[in-house]
Amino acid sequence: MFLNKAASKILQKSRQKSLLSLFPHIQNSPYTFFQKSGYVDVYMKWKKDSYYDSIEHILKSIELKSIISLKNCIAQDPNGCIPISAVSKRGLEMGVSMKVARFLRLYPSIFEEFTGPEYNHPWFRLTPEAVEIDAEEKRVYQNCRDDLICRLKKFILMSKNSVLPLKIIQGMQWYLGIPDDFLQKPEVNLDGSFKLVKMEDGLEGLAVESEENFMSVMQKNAIKRGVYSGGTMEPLEFPLFPSKGLRLRRKIENWLNEFQKLPYVSPYEDFSNLDPNSDIAEKRLVGFLHEMLSLFVEHSAERKKLLCLKKFMGLPQKVHKAFERHPHMFYLSLKNKTCTAILKEAYCDKSSIERHPILRIRRKYINLMKGSEVILKNRRFCNHLVQRENLVLDLDLDAADEDGKEIPKC
């Protein structure tokens, strides 16, 4: 038996009233009357943008991470040098996809090889240039300690219960710009607002207890422009940066205009009352991704790494779709056989997002990496010359034999 439209509306209203009576706290939620769903299926062909694909410190990030891990192993040794046996079996741990010795030899401007004191095994130490940058890196970590702690604190406060497993945080250390050994002694390196706790499944977690009300980068910039006062349920438009040749269909463009008018929910606010299928929940998700990438060193991250945060950050199952639905805010780079999500605003409006203090150091390491290419090229050229000289010498000796000259006995 089918109900007519009027009867179905009455039935729907009665169900809503019964639900509100069961959960009276929902009636007082500031988001109750804004959680409508006007979902529009946003699908566009991926549009390549050479500008974002050629950002050097993003392009070299995976490679540089392995280099710095190996550099730290050498720098932490009391003698400042290690045998290849100390790291030869740690390639997987450090993200090295080839033999570690071969990888080290690819960067002679950073790693200097010499014969060890015993068994003629290869040993490695840092070049003087690498030692100098390593010392500068340590000074930056020391001088910017408060900034690093603040970024870590914000990252944890964006989670559901202001707590994250240590293994998750360690997996994101590279993006947050935190030193490898920073979390090995949390009681020494972190302030009193951090606390080690036990989580589900026996995991050890790091929690934050803070009464400070943090504002997102979006909110701070909007207040500076005088278009936002920080009130609850106040609309806030995302800054958009369309790539050349990327055009939206009229239906999608209309949806985006309405999406921009929705209230902004800070990633540091409680979002438990939001309907996960509503447009406002999607706007909260986009704001979350914007804020998280703002905290990272390169304002980018491998998309597969971000998917590991779903459970603890309260993200929807299809969080990856947010990058595809908002191409004016995020760019997906397919370089290095992976998919990297890049926050466009950080590279189109550099004054809007504060630069991470460790980025300058990473750029210095990248310049040093370029020096390795020159050294290896010169070595190949010199070897070619030596082989050519030997060849000429052999030809001369052969010519002497043909002339009938006496060949001295060995």
Side-chain angles (χ1 to χ4, degrees):
M1 182 176 181
F2 296 97
L3 295 172
N4 58 31
K5 291 184 179 179
S8 62
K9 286 183 180 180
I10 294 172
L11 181 60
Q12 187 176 4
K13 287 182 179 180
S14 63
R15 286 175 178 172
Q16 288 176 350
K17 287 181 181 179
S18 62
L19 282 172
L20 290 174
S21 63
L22 289 172
F23 305 100
H25 64 281
I26 297 180
Q27 299 182 54
N28 300 323
S29 170
Y31 309 116
T32 302
F33 303 103
F34 287 89
Q35 297 188 60
K36 63 179 182 178
S37 180
Y39 186 86
V40 174
D41 188 16
V42 178
Y43 173 78
M44 286 174 289
K45 289 181 68 176
W46 175 77
K47 179 70 177 178
K48 183 177 181 179
D49 193 319
S50 58
Y51 172 70
Y52 299 105
D53 281 332
S54 60
I55 299 173
E56 197 170 42
H57 54 264
I58 296 179
L59 202 59
K60 299 281 187 180
S61 180
I62 297 175
E63 195 177 348
L64 181 60
K65 182 182 178 182
S66 301
I67 290 173
I68 291 183
S69 294
L70 288 164
K71 182 268 302 180
N72 289 338
C73 287
I74 298 174
Q76 290 166 5
D77 189 270
N79 299 317
C81 58
I82 58 171
I84 188 58
S85 58
V87 290
S88 60
K89 296 182 179 180
R90 298 176 62 188
L92 187 62
E93 173 191 340
M94 297 182 178
V96 180
S97 58
M98 61 181 75
K99 288 187 177 181
V100 177
R102 182 187 170 194
F103 184 81
L104 290 166
R105 288 170 183 144
L106 288 175
Y107 305 99
S109 62
I110 302 174
F111 306 108
E112 183 180 341
E113 183 178 356
F114 64 99
T115 303
E118 295 181 359
Y119 310 114
N120 292 328
H121 284 174
W123 283 55
F124 290 90
R125 60 186 166 220
L126 299 179
T127 61
E129 295 82 6
V131 170
E132 185 178 342
I133 299 177
D134 177 67
E136 185 178 356
E137 182 182 10
K138 290 174 181 175
R139 288 194 297 269
V140 170
Y141 281 136
Q142 187 64 34
N143 297 335
C144 301
R145 180 176 173 274
D146 292 340
D147 180 84
L148 297 177
I149 290 176
C150 182
R151 289 173 187 269
L152 176 60
K153 188 180 296 184
K154 286 181 175 181
F155 183 67
I156 296 175
L157 285 173
M158 285 195 291
S159 62
K160 284 194 296 186
N161 301 311
S162 298
V163 58
L164 284 174
L166 274 175
K167 68 174 186 179
I168 292 291
I169 300 174
Q170 289 166 350
M172 304 301 290
Q173 276 185 249
W174 173 255
Y175 298 121
L176 290 166
I178 298 173
D180 290 344
D181 58 348
F182 197 74
L183 294 176
Q184 292 178 3
K185 297 180 180 179
E187 64 281 354
V188 176
N189 295 320
L190 301 176
D191 59 34
S193 61
F194 293 88
K195 184 185 295 184
L196 290 172
V197 297
K198 285 292 182 183
M199 299 182 65
E200 298 176 358
D201 304 326
L203 294 174
E204 189 174 20
L206 189 63
V208 173
E209 295 178 356
S210 176
E211 297 180 357
E212 184 178 357
N213 293 321
F214 287 101
M215 298 187 74
S216 68
V217 170
M218 278 283 302
Q219 290 173 309
K220 290 179 181 178
N221 290 336
I223 289 173
K224 287 179 183 177
R225 296 195 305 267
V227 297
Y228 183 73
S229 62
T232 305
M233 300 308 298
E234 189 173 353
L236 180 57
E237 294 187 3
F238 292 116
L240 305 179
F241 303 92
S243 296
K244 290 182 180 179
L246 181 62
R247 295 183 180 180
L248 302 180
R249 296 197 301 262
R250 178 63 61 87
K251 182 181 180 181
I252 297 174
E253 191 173 354
N254 293 338
W255 166 81
L256 182 59
N257 291 334
E258 293 299 318
F259 182 83
Q260 290 279 57
K261 297 175 185 177
L262 290 173
Y264 175 82
V265 182
S266 170
Y268 304 109
E269 294 179 23
D270 178 37
F271 61 96
S272 57
N273 288 331
L274 290 181
D275 178 2
N277 297 317
S278 63
D279 283 345
I280 194 171
E282 181 176 352
K283 187 159 186 176
R284 192 262 170 193
L285 171 62
V286 174
F288 169 90
L289 295 172
H290 182 283
E291 179 68 6
M292 183 172 59
L293 292 176
S294 298
L295 295 175
F296 291 170
V297 178
E298 297 149 5
H299 308 303
S300 66
E302 286 186 84
R303 190 171 65 171
K304 64 182 180 181
K305 297 280 187 180
L306 301 181
L307 300 182
C308 300
L309 302 173
K310 287 190 295 187
K311 177 182 177 181
F312 304 100
M313 292 292 192
L315 304 179
Q317 188 66 26
K318 295 184 178 180
V319 59
H320 60 281
K321 290 288 185 181
F323 297 114
E324 300 168 14
R325 286 172 61 83
H326 298 274
H328 289 351
M329 291 183 63
F330 309 105
Y331 178 74
L332 295 176
S333 174
L334 303 181
K335 292 288 186 177
N336 294 330
K337 298 180 180 179
T338 187
C339 183
T340 303
I342 301 173
L343 180 63
K344 285 187 170 183
E345 185 179 3
Y347 295 96
C348 295
D349 184 7
K350 296 182 180 179
S351 62
S352 64
I353 298 177
E354 185 180 358
R355 191 171 74 167
H356 197 289
I358 207 64
L359 180 60
R360 180 172 56 86
I361 300 298
R362 289 189 183 176
R363 285 176 174 170
K364 288 194 173 187
Y365 279 119
I366 290 172
N367 289 333
L368 202 56
M369 288 166 61
K370 293 179 184 177
S372 295
E373 297 175 7
V374 177
I375 293 172
L376 293 175
K377 186 176 180 180
N378 289 338
R379 284 181 183 176
R380 286 193 295 267
F381 181 72
C382 290
N383 290 337
H384 177 71
L385 286 179
V386 170
Q387 290 174 1
R388 188 173 179 181
E389 288 175 359
N390 291 337
L391 179 62
V392 171
L393 182 59
D394 290 341
L395 289 174
D396 289 342
L397 290 174
D398 291 342
D401 294 342
E402 290 174 1
D403 292 340
K405 293 182 181 179
E406 185 180 354
I407 301 175
K409 295 180 179 180
C410 298

